[in-house]
Amino acid sequence: MRLSRYYLPVLKETPADAQIASHRLMLRAGMIRQEGAGIYAWLPLGFRVLKKIEQIVREEQDRAGAVEMLMPTIQSADLWRESGRYDAYGKEMLRITDRADREMLYGPTNEEMITEIFRAGVRSYKDLPKMLYHIQWKFRDEIRPRFGVMRGREFLMKDTYSFDIDEARARASYNKMFVAYLRTFARMGLKSIPMRADTGPIGGDLSHEFIVLAETGESEVFCDRRLVDMDTPKKDIDFDDDLQPVIDQFTSHYAATDEMHDAAAFEKDVPEDNRVSARGIEVGHIFFFGEKYSNPMKAVVAGPEGGEIPVQMGSYGVGVSRLLGAIIEAHHDDDGCKWPVSVAPYHVGLVNLRAGDEACDAACEKLYAELTGEGVEVLYDDTSARPGEKFARMDLIGLPYQIVVGPRGLESSEAEIKTRADGAKENVPVDQVGTKVAAAVRAALQYA
RNA sequence: CGGGGCGUAGCGCAGUCUGGUAGCGCAUCUGGUUUGGGACCAGAGGGUCGCAAGUUCGAAUCUUGCCGCCCCGACCA
C-alpha cells in the first residue's frame, strides 16, 4: 500500500482525553476515532490489526474443535425473559423497540440465543459434544467507558459455547478452551496467565480469567513467577487427548486478581523470590455454568437410558477489540507502537527519504514489488514529507521492520533495515534487502 | 448513579470573572530556500464561540433549559 493513497491521520500532539498509552497511541497513530462515549470507528490501520487478531482467535478456535457461526447483534426481549435475565440485567443492557413496539435489545452476550439455537437442532446425547462460537459486536451500556477500546461500550468479542452430556465431559470442553486461549494470546506476543475467577452461585473450580501482564494494566494481580516462565502448549498438541495434565500444570501455582487475592495464602504458597505483584489486563474469561440456561430454557437431550437430560454448558469469551489495547500496553515505547509481526498492520514500512529523486524512487519501487511478490505486507511511504517526519511517523505506527532508502545510502548502493522492537539498524546492499527482510518476516510468522 | 470539570479553526489552548464585533501555537494552502530524526522565510485560507431561549443598544462573556464529552468512585470482556 502506498501511503500517498492511504488514510492515516496521525496526530503529532497527544489528545487530551487519552489517559493510558494504548489509547493515546491508537489515537495518535490514526487507528481509531472516537464517535461517542465508548464507541469507536476503526480507521484503516486499526482495522487491519483488528482483523489479524480476529483471525488468530479463529484459527485457534477451529484447531480446538469449535465451529464458527454468526448470531445477530439485535435480539428479542422475549428470549431473555426465558432465562429470567431480561429483568435481571439492568441498565447495562441497551434496550430498544422496533416500529411495531416490540421490545428488542442490542446483545451484550449470547447465552440465551445459542441455547435457543442448540435446542432447536439437537435431540440426543449422541449429538454431543458441541462447541459453537462466533465473533460479533456487542454492546454493554457501561456506566463509565474509558481507556479507549480497552473498555468501550461497543466491542468485538469472540464467544464460544460448549454443550456436554455431563460435568466430566464439560470439563474436557473447558480444558480445550483453556489450552486454546494460552496459544491464542501467545501468538499475539502476549504472556497470559490463567487466574482462578469467581464462579458465583455455580461454584466449582471451572472459571478462569486470562490476564496479560502490563505495567499499565487496569487491575492488580498476584502470581507465582513459575507461571510467567511456563512454556505455552505447542501447536501439535492433540485437543482430543486428555488435556488435564496441561491444565493442572498451569493451575499448580498461585495466581489471583485483586478481588480473589488472599495475601496470607500468597505468602505461604509462593517463595519470596517467586512472588510477582503486577498489573494486568483481562483478555479472556472461561466459565462452566452447567444448567443455568439449559434448565429454564429446556435445552435437553435424550440420554442413553431414555429420559430428558439438560445439557451442561460453558461459555468462553475473548475480548477481540480489547486485545489491541492489551498488545500495545505490552509492546510500545515513548515513540509509538511496537507490533509483533503476527498482528502488525503491515510487516514492513518502506521509507523513501526523497520521493521524486530518480534513484530513490526506482530503488523503492523495485523493493516494493519484490517484497509484495513474496507475500510481505508493505506500507510504502512515497510522500514528499521530510525525513524526520517520516521516521517519527513510522516509529509511531510501529511496523516491525523499516526499510530506509535515501540518496546517501544509495551512493554506496545500500539501504537501512531497522527493527522496531529493539531499534537495531543495519546497512545492507539494496539488492539483498528484499530477501533479507522477507526471510525475517517469514521466520517471525512461524509459530510453535 | 454520586462527586468534579470541560465544550472557542483539523489538534492543543487563551479570551468568560469585569459584555463592545474572536486570538495564539501546531497543522493546512501558495511561493521560495531546504532535505538522513517532526526545517526556515514571506504570504493566505479556515470559526453559526455545543444547541435553544432570555436579559441588553450590544452576548464567546450574564441568566435558564437542553445536548455532548472527560476525570474520580461503585461496576465490567
Side-chain angles (χ1 to χ4, degrees):
Chain A
M1 173 57 60
R2 285 163 203 277
L3 189 57
S4 58
R5 294 180 193 162
Y6 210 54
Y7 184 64
L8 185 68
V10 300
L11 304 174
K12 194 165 169 180
E13 293 173 85
T14 298
D17 290 346
Q19 302 295 305
I20 61 170
S22 60
H23 188 196
R24 203 161 54 229
L25 290 175
M26 288 182 79
L27 290 168
R28 286 196 54 214
M31 301 178 68
I32 53 171
R33 179 170 173 79
Q34 182 168 348
E35 295 296 339
I39 299 174
Y40 293 86
W42 294 82
L43 306 185
L45 199 75
F47 185 62
R48 284 182 70 93
V49 180
L50 188 68
K51 286 292 163 187
K52 291 203 173 179
I53 291 171
E54 184 183 321
Q55 185 55 25
I56 289 174
V57 170
R58 175 176 290 119
E59 287 170 14
E60 294 300 326
Q61 287 297 302
D62 292 349
R63 181 172 288 159
V67 182
E68 186 171 15
M69 59 181 294
L70 184 61
M71 290 179 265
T73 54
I74 305 291
Q75 307 183 26
S76 97
D78 287 342
L79 190 57
W80 283 63
R81 290 202 172 93
E82 283 192 51
S83 69
R85 282 212 291 182
Y86 189 67
D87 296 321
Y89 215 92
K91 300 188 82 169
E92 228 181 47
M93 186 153 71
L94 180 65
R95 295 154 205 261
I96 48 188
T97 51
D98 68 7
R99 65 198 300 162
D101 249 358
R102 280 182 287 252
E103 294 173 276
M104 318 286 281
L105 57 99
Y106 196 117
T109 178
N110 287 70
E111 279 85 4
E112 282 80 0
M113 187 172 282
I114 195 71
T115 304
E116 187 279 326
I117 290 168
F118 174 87
R119 76 183 174 193
V122 176
R123 293 282 171 272
S124 162
Y125 76 97
K126 292 179 183 174
D127 295 322
L128 300 181
K130 286 277 176 280
M131 284 197 294
L132 301 171
Y133 76 98
H134 77 336
I135 300 171
Q136 178 63 290
W137 291 93
K138 309 268 197 286
F139 194 92
R140 291 183 194 168
D141 199 355
E142 297 280 349
I143 295 164
R144 183 148 108 79
R146 61 183 124 177
F147 304 145
V149 300
M150 294 263 273
R151 177 106 179 263
R153 291 197 293 173
E154 188 182 52
F155 56 97
L156 187 61
M157 185 170 169
K158 185 283 304 178
D159 39 327
T160 307
Y161 302 92
S162 67
F163 303 87
D164 287 278
I165 190 66
D166 57 34
E167 191 175 334
R169 273 168 272 210
R171 181 180 285 268
S173 295
Y174 183 92
N175 289 352
K176 287 180 185 183
M177 285 297 125
F178 191 110
V179 171
Y181 277 26
L182 288 173
R183 292 191 39 75
T184 299
F185 302 131
R187 283 185 59 189
M188 297 169 191
L190 296 176
K191 181 51 133 182
S192 70
I193 298 177
M195 300 198 177
R196 178 85 61 87
D198 189 4
T199 49
I202 308 293
D205 60 347
L206 292 184
S207 178
H208 286 89
E209 291 180 356
F210 284 74
I211 303 286
V212 166
L213 299 184
E215 279 174 34
T216 42
E218 51 189 344
S219 53
E220 211 171 358
V221 297
F222 306 86
C223 71
D224 191 317
R225 186 170 308 284
R226 282 171 287 188
L227 280 169
V228 181
D229 297 335
M230 220 164 259
D231 288 334
T232 304
K234 300 286 182 260
K235 80 170 160 190
D236 58 4
I237 191 168
D238 185 349
F239 279 90
D240 291 324
D241 276 354
D242 179 13
L243 300 173
Q244 194 59 45
V246 181
I247 279 67
D248 289 344
Q249 182 198 351
F250 277 91
T251 54
S252 59
H253 301 298
Y254 187 93
T257 57
D258 48 2
E259 65 258 26
M260 297 286 285
H261 184 51
D262 177 345
F266 187 50
E267 286 175 24
K268 179 170 153 288
D269 299 344
V270 185
E272 194 163 355
D273 290 349
N274 280 352
R275 283 177 209 156
V276 176
S277 170
R279 300 199 69 79
I281 301 162
E282 183 182 351
V283 290
H285 195 162
I286 60 178
F287 196 46
F288 169 74
F289 47 71
E291 301 168 17
K292 182 174 177 185
Y293 301 95
S294 53
N295 231 334
M297 294 184 68
K298 306 277 186 300
V300 295
V301 294
E305 280 97 39
E308 293 184 330
I309 302 171
V311 291
Q312 302 294 314
M313 294 175 58
S315 77
Y316 315 88
V318 169
V320 175
S321 47
R322 156 177 280 207
L323 273 166
L324 269 94
I327 293 169
I328 295 176
E329 292 297 333
H331 299 280
H332 74 275
D333 60 20
D334 289 346
D335 295 328
C337 307
K338 300 202 288 196
W339 292 111
V341 178
S342 59
V343 293
Y346 290 89
H347 302 137
V348 175
L350 175 59
V351 180
N352 185 341
L353 280 186
R354 198 172 300 178
D357 176 270
E358 208 173 305
C360 289
D361 288 354
C364 285
E365 290 295 340
K366 190 156 178 276
L367 272 169
Y368 182 64
E370 182 186 350
L371 285 164
T372 305
E374 291 281 328
V376 174
E377 299 166 359
V378 183
L379 184 62
Y380 170 27
D381 186 347
D382 58 340
T383 67
S384 57
R386 303 173 56 78
E389 188 183 344
K390 292 191 175 205
F391 291 133
R393 182 163 55 197
M394 272 302 166
D395 286 347
L396 176 61
I397 67 176
L399 306 182
Y401 299 102
Q402 297 173 15
I403 299 174
V404 180
V405 177
R408 188 185 296 173
L410 285 183
E411 280 173 22
S412 50
S413 299
E414 285 185 330
E416 179 186 278
I417 301 174
K418 174 174 167 180
T419 309
R420 181 67 178 91
D422 59 9
K425 297 175 185 172
E426 186 188 5
N427 285 314
V428 174
V430 204
D431 56 1
Q432 293 171 28
V433 167
T435 328
K436 198 167 163 94
V437 171
V441 168
R442 263 196 303 274
L445 287 174
Q446 295 299 317
Y447 56 93

